[in-house]
């Protein structure tokens, strides 16, 4: 209880069953120090993983790195499009804000709705 200053969730919550997300965030709240912060980055409700992957490919080509990682890029693309895509699209930033406040966080300290090629959000909340 009340031990950690920060908890960071980068593309974690969407992989959980929807029914366990509140319990998970209650546990995060419990272990954070007073004034501690949770930072969450997740795909937003209307996310399209293909758009993110196209942006990554564009950057790799622009920086002349695509050829050296092309095989790995293809594997990541297949995993995202065939497996992970079914888990996405759970929350808007407003949905996540409501969940964080419901489980006890006192304030939202930062939120940005259009990260990762405009397909994800970033939200931070203080205990």
């Amino acid at each position: 209880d009340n031990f950690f200053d920060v908890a960071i969730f980068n593309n974690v919550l969407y992989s959980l069953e929807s029914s366990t997300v509140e319990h998970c965030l209650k546990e995060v709240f419990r272990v954070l120090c007073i004034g501690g912060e949770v930072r969450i980055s997740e795909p937003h409700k209307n996310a399209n993983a293909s758009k993110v992957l196209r942006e990554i490919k564009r950057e790799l080509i622009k920086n002349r790195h695509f050829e050296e990682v092309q095989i790995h890029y293809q594997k990541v693309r297949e995993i995202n499009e065939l497996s992970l895509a079914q888990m996405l699209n759970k929350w808007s930033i407003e949905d996540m804000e409501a969940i964080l406040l419901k489980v006890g966080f006192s304030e939202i300290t930062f939120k940005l709705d259009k990260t990762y090629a405009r397909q994800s959000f970033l939200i931070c909340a203080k205990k």
Side-chain angles (χ1 to χ4, degrees):
D1 291 355
N2 301 308
F3 185 79
F4 296 98
D5 294 318
V6 177
I8 298 172
F9 286 74
N10 188 16
N11 295 324
V12 172
L13 296 176
Y14 76 79
S15 66
L16 302 176
E17 294 292 328
S18 295
S19 60
T20 64
V21 170
E22 278 188 33
H23 176 73
C24 176
L25 291 173
K26 284 179 185 177
E27 284 298 299
V28 170
F29 182 84
R30 180 184 65 77
V31 301
L32 283 174
C33 297
I34 301 299
E37 188 174 70
V38 63
R39 299 173 185 172
I40 299 171
S41 176
E42 290 286 318
H44 62 66
K45 197 175 267 189
N46 300 314
N48 180 335
S50 295
K51 288 183 180 181
V52 176
L53 290 165
R54 280 194 301 270
E55 181 66 21
I56 290 169
K57 182 177 181 180
R58 188 184 70 72
E59 286 292 316
L60 287 168
I61 291 169
K62 179 179 129 183
N63 293 305
R64 298 187 171 112
H65 295 295
F66 185 71
E67 284 186 29
E68 66 190 84
V69 298
Q70 186 171 1
I71 293 169
H72 303 293
Y73 172 86
Q74 185 61 30
K75 286 181 183 179
V76 168
R77 191 177 135 262
E78 288 172 9
I79 291 167
N80 275 272
E81 291 178 353
L82 299 175
S83 301
L84 296 179
Q86 299 137 4
M87 292 189 241
L88 304 179
N89 310 103
K90 292 186 177 181
W91 307 282
S92 66
I93 197 167
E94 294 83 11
D95 296 334
M96 188 55 64
E97 181 174 359
I99 293 168
L100 289 166
L101 295 173
K102 180 179 178 182
V103 302
F105 287 91
S106 63
E107 68 175 299
I108 303 302
T109 58
F110 181 84
K111 60 182 180 176
L112 180 62
D113 195 25
K114 303 293 182 188
T115 61
Y116 298 112
R118 305 178 69 84
Q119 301 305 303
S120 296
F121 62 81
L122 173 62
I123 189 166
C124 305
K126 185 184 285 187
K127 179 174 177 178

